[in-house]
Amino acid sequence: MRLPALPLAQEREGFHAPGIEIFEWPDIVHLEVAGIDLSINRVVLQMFLIALLTWGLFFFAFRSPKLVPSGLQNVMESIVDFIRGQIVLEVIGREGLRFLPYLTTLFVFVFFGNLGGVIPPIFFPLNGRMALPAIMAICSLLLFISIGISQQGFVSYFKNALFPPGMPKAIYILLTPIELISTFVVRPVTLAIRLLANMIAGHLILSVFFVATGYMLTSMNISAVFGVGALIFSVALIAFELFVAGLQAYVFTILSAVYIAGALEPEH
């Protein structure tokens, strides 16, 4: 005799892996003005908190700077020196020192936004939502365009960007649309998506491992033994996610510096 098929809910009893729904948060305050959704949820509060934290670190570190730094001033000066030496001077040169405040703030803000994914009780990477990486990428886009126009002039900048010198004129039919898309569309899009994808992937992996670890450790069977190994591996994943948080902040910042350098002089 053929047994009746189990309901779908019964077939899936047991471990349930978290999905993309962990990136959705309900509104704390629902607000709509002129058809624009200005609601506040946990992600918005986290964004305000990180913006305030970034401002506070720089403000309290440098409001009364000492000749021999210590404490918070020493930590923040180390970050500034790192961005100055390893990004600004290496990529742009001394002419890029005027962009040091922007690039340093960008690095710190992106890093803290990434760090939220491993800090309790937040456990959510701010840059795991597209809006913020997209806005930061657009800021870098507008910055390097404005720099190019101010340094080379409006016509010369777009001429050098879209019509690279030394090419046969016929090739511009194909080359100019490619340069237009790659310079003014692909750059900000890839800048934002690279950060977004890494944060989504890291948060999903951590969530799956910790949920699975909890499930196995609370199981009254042999799975509890494997749960101990999964717990150890999950802790190692946290260390790796910390590394990724810093790496992605560095990549976002150095690519912004590369685009600025390219706008300063056409030969770059």
Side-chain angles (χ1 to χ4, degrees):
M1 182 177 70
R2 184 178 179 182
L3 295 175
L6 290 173
L8 185 60
Q10 294 182 17
E11 289 180 358
R12 294 186 177 179
E13 284 183 356
F15 173 67
H16 296 274
I20 200 69
E21 69 278 356
I22 62 176
F23 292 90
E24 297 294 332
W25 298 97
D27 292 341
I28 298 174
V29 176
H30 183 74
L31 179 63
E32 189 170 321
V33 178
I36 301 175
D37 189 2
L38 299 177
S39 301
I40 298 175
N41 59 15
R42 179 175 166 178
V43 179
V44 176
L45 291 178
Q46 186 179 342
M47 180 180 63
F48 290 153
L49 175 63
I50 292 176
L52 182 62
L53 176 63
T54 302
W55 172 83
L57 286 174
F58 285 104
F59 176 78
F60 290 108
F62 300 116
R63 65 172 178 171
S64 300
K66 299 177 182 178
L67 185 61
V68 180
S70 61
L72 182 60
Q73 182 185 344
N74 191 39
V75 173
M76 298 309 294
E77 280 195 6
S78 298
I79 296 175
V80 173
D81 287 341
F82 172 75
I83 302 299
R84 181 181 186 274
Q86 300 301 316
I87 294 181
V88 175
L89 294 180
E90 287 287 334
V91 176
I92 307 175
R94 299 198 64 83
E95 192 178 357
L97 290 176
R98 52 185 165 143
F99 307 112
L100 179 61
Y102 171 75
L103 294 172
T104 305
T105 305
L106 185 66
F107 175 84
V108 173
F109 186 80
V110 173
F111 177 68
F112 280 122
N114 296 344
L115 207 59
V118 294
I119 294 180
I122 300 175
F123 289 125
F124 184 80
L126 183 61
N127 295 314
R129 299 287 291 268
M130 184 59 180
L132 197 55
I135 289 297
M136 291 187 293
I138 291 172
C139 287
S140 292
L141 170 70
L142 295 177
L143 179 61
F144 80 73
I145 289 177
S146 62
I147 292 169
I149 293 174
S150 64
Q151 290 292 118
Q152 305 175 41
F154 184 88
V155 176
S156 296
Y157 172 67
F158 285 102
K159 180 181 178 182
N160 291 325
L162 301 179
F163 300 91
M167 296 289 181
K169 291 184 178 181
I171 203 70
Y172 289 134
I173 299 174
L174 295 175
L175 186 60
T176 298
I178 294 174
E179 290 293 331
L180 174 65
I181 295 173
S182 64
T183 302
F184 302 108
V185 178
V186 173
R187 280 183 179 181
V189 169
T190 54
L191 197 61
I193 291 179
R194 183 185 294 106
L195 177 60
L196 174 73
N198 278 279
M199 291 303 102
I200 288 178
H203 188 54
L204 278 175
I205 291 172
L206 280 177
S207 299
V208 169
F209 266 91
F210 274 102
V211 171
T213 298
Y215 173 76
M216 288 187 286
L217 288 175
T218 55
S219 298
M220 304 304 293
N221 51 42
I222 193 64
S223 297
V225 177
F226 296 100
V228 176
L231 178 61
I232 296 173
F233 189 72
S234 297
V235 174
L237 278 178
I238 291 179
F240 179 72
E241 192 65 15
L242 287 172
F243 169 74
V244 171
L247 178 63
Q248 290 305 313
Y250 174 78
V251 169
F252 198 98
T253 306
I254 198 170
L255 285 177
S256 296
V258 169
Y259 301 152
I260 290 172
L264 285 171
E265 299 212 15
E267 61 265 25
H268 288 176

